[in-house]
């Protein structure tokens, strides 16, 4: 019984660490897929979706954008992060630059470490 307790004490934290890392890796892959869909949208429409359109513009042309060829996602839904929260999207600002796409992690709050860390693209 003591041996099993020791093994559980040694292996348990490693398993939890792998699970946390797995969720972070999944979130990164989801962000990459969303970014690719946003880039396809840019190629067709000539701009990224605005803040009023958000990621929903990848599924339907609610703003009547010319040359929209979507939907740009395989499933007819915007994915949620591994912690059950929506991904955050900020379009490029007026002076150019790129969009921001991120998850706030397990605690759904800015900053944090480990499973609570922000995952940004």
């Amino acid at each position: 019984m003591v041996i099993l307790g020791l093994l559980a004490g040694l292996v348990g934290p490693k398993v939890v660490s792998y699970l946390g890392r797995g969720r972070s890796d999944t979130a990164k892959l989801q962000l990459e897929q969303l970014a690719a869909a946003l880039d396809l949208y840019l190629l067709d429409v000539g701009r990224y979706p605005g803040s009023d359109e958000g990621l929903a513009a990848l599924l339907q042309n609610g703003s009547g954008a010319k040359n929209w060829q979507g939907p740009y996602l395989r499933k007819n839904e915007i994915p949620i992060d591994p912690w059950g929260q929506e991904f955050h999207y900020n379009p490029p600002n007026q002076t150019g630059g790129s969009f921001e796409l991120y998850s706030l992690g397990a605690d759904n709050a800015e900053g944090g470490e480990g499973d609570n860390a922000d995952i940004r693209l």
Side-chain angles (χ1 to χ4, degrees), residues 9-80:
L10 293 173
V11 174
K14 282 287 190 195
V15 170
V16 171
S17 169
Y18 285 126
L19 289 175
R21 191 171 67 207
R23 286 185 178 178
S24 295
D25 290 347
T26 299
K28 288 176 188 173
L29 287 172
Q30 288 175 306
L31 287 171
E32 290 287 344
Q33 290 172 341
L34 285 171
L38 286 165
D39 287 340
L40 288 174
Y41 182 97
L42 171 67
L43 289 173
D44 287 344
V45 178
R47 62 174 177 79
Y48 288 112
S51 57
D52 57 326
E53 300 165 302
L55 295 175
L58 298 175
L59 296 177
Q60 54 187 338
N61 189 6
S63 67
K66 279 187 148 188
N67 300 324
W68 188 87
Q69 300 295 316
Y72 296 94
L73 297 172
R74 281 187 170 186
K75 295 183 179 180
N76 199 22
E77 61 187 26
I78 304 295
I80 57 172

